Amino acid sequence: GLAVDREGFLWAASEGEALRISLGRSWSVYDSSLGLRGTVQAAIDLDDGTTLVATTTGLYASHHDAHDRVSFTPIATDRREVS
């Protein structure tokens, strides 16, 4: 699916990844290399800067390290589908 957030970013959900796109600026791909599992169903940016991504295996929250690199950890999962 596609959606635009309040900051004007375009979000695209596809099988296995969520894309955050800003035309005229850089864009990010969030996929299994960052900790996401399953097919992406929806994504949202929260006011505190956290990105939540819902997949077929659960809900994941973004975290930024000291170098501002992003990764995702599960905060709610369907244990039947998590490997």
Side-chain angles (χ1 to χ4, degrees):
L2 296 173
V4 176
D5 66 20
R6 67 182 159 277
E7 295 177 25
F9 289 100
L10 172 66
W11 285 90
S14 67
E15 193 168 320
E17 62 188 19
L19 299 154
R20 182 179 179 208
I21 303 165
S22 175
L23 301 178
R25 295 190 287 181
S26 64
W27 49 280
S28 302
V29 174
Y30 300 146
D31 61 16
S32 62
S33 70
L34 300 176
L36 294 175
R37 301 291 178 260
T39 302
V40 173
Q41 303 295 305
I44 188 170
D45 273 336
L46 302 179
D47 289 337
D48 68 359
T50 301
T51 300
L52 296 179
V53 178
T55 77
T56 54
T57 64
L59 183 63
Y60 296 80
S62 66
H63 301 279
H64 295 267
D65 68 12
H67 301 288
D68 206 32
R69 291 180 296 230
V70 69
S71 63
F72 287 86
T73 57
I75 59 174
T77 60
D78 179 350
R79 287 182 169 69
R80 295 171 296 175
E81 296 189 38
V82 176
S83 57

